[in-house]
């Protein structure tokens, strides 16, 4: 007797009753036995491809999960979705596709599950936007789900030190400034990324991998295991088996990802000095669950937590080191000990976060993760800002910064390429605030990241000498006084559209403010003359995205989310 009541699961629509004989014939064509068609159908969604090392192991991990699903009494069905890999899309027009891909990933997973009536989902992702995209689909569908990160890359070795791809981006800046011979740059680029896996620092991929565990959608201490490690296969099998337990209990993502769970996730991002992109992806995920949780809610959670994990780019270590130190759960153990985490939230283990954490033993010998009462800095790694330049808010990563305030005259650019060219030619002055606008979700369109520009500044040893502000985004690998997500964006007529060269801008990350020192009368005159420029995309995916995307502070989402639902897929 099966422990699953197939008559109450979505897959009954394609597998039960005489009228579904044509549907079953397709399964017989694939060599599936009658008794297996009678089992729950589990989608194994993989973002695997040959585009970049972030994704090259994902298909194999998804295939390994088949054994766990079968072991748990289900029928596995693997399918694939796209990725746009930021490290390759960075610094040119290709980056406009990056954030858009998050929505395409979520939509494509949703449509595949809907079309084939799968009862559960295990999702495998590696590069930045594929992680939130996969988790967004899980929350949207609300079938029992487990998220699996493909794992980080191991650090490269160059001249006796660990290096990541960010070292290469910064070396480009040093080369342009005459401080890095071409031979050195060439040698570095050949060793910085030694194999499979996503970027090794606490950049966006690893940040969102931490979110997967903190929010309860991933198995405990699974996501910091590097991609090349053999134990990744065991994790995939375990995820396949555990999702069948969730099917039996009908424990669903929205049961797990409550508002308290989102607050936990934001606190873990802050404690690890994580990517500012989390302030974009957490609201987007919350939208799928019908939870009001915008940039300002994320920032409030950030403000409650000190910086505890000494990870690049602000710190010294990479994801492999964090794994060896005890992983995400070691970070959460110290947060819980300090009263900085809600331990009552459920997880995909079927137990609470506190129950899972209780099984973790604090490792006093490791150097990566500090105790809650002995932090690296008392302020969290990421800070929300608001003021006359950003009435809807902005975000800055302060982990590793020596100063938290900046004031200087603006130098304005209407696209990233112009700013990068200025930086490469050293056409700016120390003390200036570089403003890059019309790069927001609608104006870009696509809200590009600015790593090429910020890394070039650091390569020239100018990262601490200027500030950079944009209505676009910054990479999780960005460091320096870099403020992103400024809203309203320039394309919507936000104050950033009215800034002119020489205007004084004041930033105080300690106070959480960002202000344009220009009178209301002057701004009103400028607004009367302002006209939104054409972004240049008259058709295709970017045109469609620009017409539907919302503001960055709410996650740059393209649909109303669960609050507007009249039915949920899982209940069909």
């Amino acid at each position: 007797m099966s422990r699953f009541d197939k008559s109450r699961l979505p897959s009954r629509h394609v597998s039960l009753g005489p009228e579904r004989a044509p549907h079953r014939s397709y399964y017989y064509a694939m060599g599936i036995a009658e008794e297996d068609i009678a089992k729950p159908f589990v989608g194994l969604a993989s973002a695997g491809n040959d585009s970049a090392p972030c994704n090259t192991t994902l298909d194999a991990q998804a295939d390994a999960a088949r054994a766990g699903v079968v072991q748990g009494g289900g029928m596995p069905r693997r399918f694939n979705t796209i990725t746009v890999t930021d490290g390759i899309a960075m610094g040119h027009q290709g980056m406009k596709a990056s954030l858009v891909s998050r929505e395409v990933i979520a939509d494509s997973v949703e449509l595949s599950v809907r079309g084939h009536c799968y009862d559960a989902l295990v999702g495998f992702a590696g590069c930045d936007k594929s992680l939130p995209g996969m988790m967004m689909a899980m929350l949207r569908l609300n079938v029992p789900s487990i998220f699996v990160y493909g794992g980080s890359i191991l650090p490269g070795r160059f001249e006796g030190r660990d290096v990541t791809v960010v070292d290469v981006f910064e070396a480009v800046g040093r080369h342009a400034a005459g401080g890095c011979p071409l031979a050195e740059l060439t040698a570095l680029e050949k060793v910085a990324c030694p194999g499979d896996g996503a970027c090794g620092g606490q950049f966006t991929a690893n940040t969102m991998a931490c979110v997967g565990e903190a929010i309860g959608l991933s198995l405990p201490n699974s996501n910091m295991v590097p991609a090349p490690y053999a134990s990744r296969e065991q994790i995939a099998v375990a995820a396949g088996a555990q999702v069948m337990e969730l099917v039996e209990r009908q424990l669903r993502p929205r049961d797990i990802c409550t508002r308290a769970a989102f607050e936990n996730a934001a606190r873990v991002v802050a404690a690890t000095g994580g990517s500012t992109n989390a302030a974009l992806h957490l609201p987007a995920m919350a939208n799928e669950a019908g939870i009001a949780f915008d940039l300002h809610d994320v920032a409030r959670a950030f403000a409650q937590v000190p910086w505890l994990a000494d990870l690049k780019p602000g710190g010294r270590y990479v994801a492999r080191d964090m794994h060896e130190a005890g992983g995400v759960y070691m970070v959460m153990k110290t947060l819980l000990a300090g009263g900085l985490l809600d331990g009552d939230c459920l997880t995909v283990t079927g137990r609470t976060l506190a129950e899972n954490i209780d099984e973790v033993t604090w490792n006093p010998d490791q150097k990566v993760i500090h105790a809650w009462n002995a932090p690296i800095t008392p302020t969290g790694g990421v800070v929300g800002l608001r003021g006359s330049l950003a009435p809807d808010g902005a975000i800055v990563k302060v982990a590793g910064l020596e100063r938290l305030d900046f004031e200087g005259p603006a130098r304005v650019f209407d696209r990233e390429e112009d700013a990068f060219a200025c930086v490469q030619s050293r056409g700016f002055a120390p003390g200036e605030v570089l403003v890059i606008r019309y790069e927001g979700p609608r104006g870009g369109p696509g809200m590009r990241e600015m790593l090429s520009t910020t890394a070039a500044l650091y390569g020239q040893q100018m990262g601490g000498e200027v500030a950079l502000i944009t209505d676009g985004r910054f990479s999780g690998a960005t460091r320096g006084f870099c403020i992103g997500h400024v809203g309203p964006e320039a394309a919507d007529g936000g104050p950033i559209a009215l800034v002119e060269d020489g205007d004084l801008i004041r930033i105080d990350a300690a106070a959480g403010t960002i202000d344009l020192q220009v009178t209301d009368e002057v701004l009103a005159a400028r607004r009367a003359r302002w006209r939104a420029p054409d972004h240049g995309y008259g058709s295709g995916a970017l045109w469609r995205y620009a017409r539907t995307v919302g503001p960055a502070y709410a996650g740059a989402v393209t649909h109303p989310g669960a609050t507007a639902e009249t039915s949920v897929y899982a209940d069909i």
Side-chain angles (χ1 to χ4, degrees), residues 518-525:
V518 175
T519 67
D520 291 342
E521 292 77 15
V522 170
L523 288 179

PDB file of all heavy atoms in Angstrom, residues 518-525:
ATOM      1  N   VAL A 518      20.765  70.188  -3.336  1.00  0.00           N
ATOM      2  CA  VAL A 518      20.264  71.133  -4.342  1.00  0.00           C
ATOM      3  C   VAL A 518      18.884  71.580  -3.884  1.00  0.00           C
ATOM      4  O   VAL A 518      18.090  70.763  -3.400  1.00  0.00           O
ATOM      5  CB  VAL A 518      20.181  70.473  -5.734  1.00  0.00           C
ATOM      6  CG1 VAL A 518      19.557  71.414  -6.748  1.00  0.00           C
ATOM      7  CG2 VAL A 518      21.569  70.043  -6.201  1.00  0.00           C
ATOM      8  N   THR A 519      18.568  72.854  -4.040  1.00  0.00           N
ATOM      9  CA  THR A 519      17.301  73.383  -3.538  1.00  0.00           C
ATOM     10  C   THR A 519      16.113  72.830  -4.317  1.00  0.00           C
ATOM     11  O   THR A 519      16.235  72.434  -5.490  1.00  0.00           O
ATOM     12  CB  THR A 519      17.266  74.921  -3.630  1.00  0.00           C
ATOM     13  OG1 THR A 519      17.266  75.309  -5.011  1.00  0.00           O
ATOM     14  CG2 THR A 519      18.450  75.532  -2.904  1.00  0.00           C
ATOM     15  N   ASP A 520      14.961  72.837  -3.680  1.00  0.00           N
ATOM     16  CA  ASP A 520      13.735  72.369  -4.326  1.00  0.00           C
ATOM     17  C   ASP A 520      13.403  73.212  -5.549  1.00  0.00           C
ATOM     18  O   ASP A 520      12.883  72.696  -6.548  1.00  0.00           O
ATOM     19  CB  ASP A 520      12.564  72.421  -3.337  1.00  0.00           C
ATOM     20  CG  ASP A 520      12.696  71.402  -2.218  1.00  0.00           C
ATOM     21  OD1 ASP A 520      13.488  70.450  -2.385  1.00  0.00           O
ATOM     22  OD2 ASP A 520      12.019  71.561  -1.184  1.00  0.00           O
ATOM     23  N   GLU A 521      13.689  74.500  -5.499  1.00  0.00           N
ATOM     24  CA  GLU A 521      13.386  75.385  -6.623  1.00  0.00           C
ATOM     25  C   GLU A 521      14.216  75.016  -7.857  1.00  0.00           C
ATOM     26  O   GLU A 521      13.699  74.974  -8.982  1.00  0.00           O
ATOM     27  CB  GLU A 521      13.652  76.845  -6.237  1.00  0.00           C
ATOM     28  CG  GLU A 521      12.700  77.411  -5.186  1.00  0.00           C
ATOM     29  CD  GLU A 521      13.026  76.930  -3.775  1.00  0.00           C
ATOM     30  OE1 GLU A 521      14.153  76.386  -3.562  1.00  0.00           O
ATOM     31  OE2 GLU A 521      12.167  77.099  -2.890  1.00  0.00           O
ATOM     32  N   VAL A 522      15.502  74.728  -7.647  1.00  0.00           N
ATOM     33  CA  VAL A 522      16.375  74.341  -8.756  1.00  0.00           C
ATOM     34  C   VAL A 522      15.920  72.998  -9.329  1.00  0.00           C
ATOM     35  O   VAL A 522      15.851  72.814 -10.557  1.00  0.00           O
ATOM     36  CB  VAL A 522      17.841  74.277  -8.291  1.00  0.00           C
ATOM     37  CG1 VAL A 522      18.721  73.629  -9.363  1.00  0.00           C
ATOM     38  CG2 VAL A 522      18.354  75.671  -7.970  1.00  0.00           C
ATOM     39  N   LEU A 523      15.584  72.057  -8.455  1.00  0.00           N
ATOM     40  CA  LEU A 523      15.136  70.742  -8.927  1.00  0.00           C
ATOM     41  C   LEU A 523      13.827  70.855  -9.701  1.00  0.00           C
ATOM     42  O   LEU A 523      13.625  70.164 -10.709  1.00  0.00           O
ATOM     43  CB  LEU A 523      14.969  69.782  -7.750  1.00  0.00           C
ATOM     44  CG  LEU A 523      16.260  69.289  -7.089  1.00  0.00           C
ATOM     45  CD1 LEU A 523      15.926  68.372  -5.916  1.00  0.00           C
ATOM     46  CD2 LEU A 523      17.146  68.561  -8.089  1.00  0.00           C
ATOM     47  N   ALA A 524      12.923  71.741  -9.263  1.00  0.00           N
ATOM     48  CA  ALA A 524      11.650  71.921  -9.968  1.00  0.00           C
ATOM     49  C   ALA A 524      11.887  72.462 -11.375  1.00  0.00           C
ATOM     50  O   ALA A 524      11.221  72.042 -12.339  1.00  0.00           O
ATOM     51  CB  ALA A 524      10.760  72.872  -9.177  1.00  0.00           C
ATOM     52  N   ALA A 525      12.832  73.384 -11.526  1.00  0.00           N
ATOM     53  CA  ALA A 525      13.148  73.914 -12.848  1.00  0.00           C
ATOM     54  C   ALA A 525      13.752  72.839 -13.750  1.00  0.00           C
ATOM     55  O   ALA A 525      13.424  72.754 -14.941  1.00  0.00           O
ATOM     56  CB  ALA A 525      14.105  75.099 -12.713  1.00  0.00           C
TER      57      ALA A 525
END
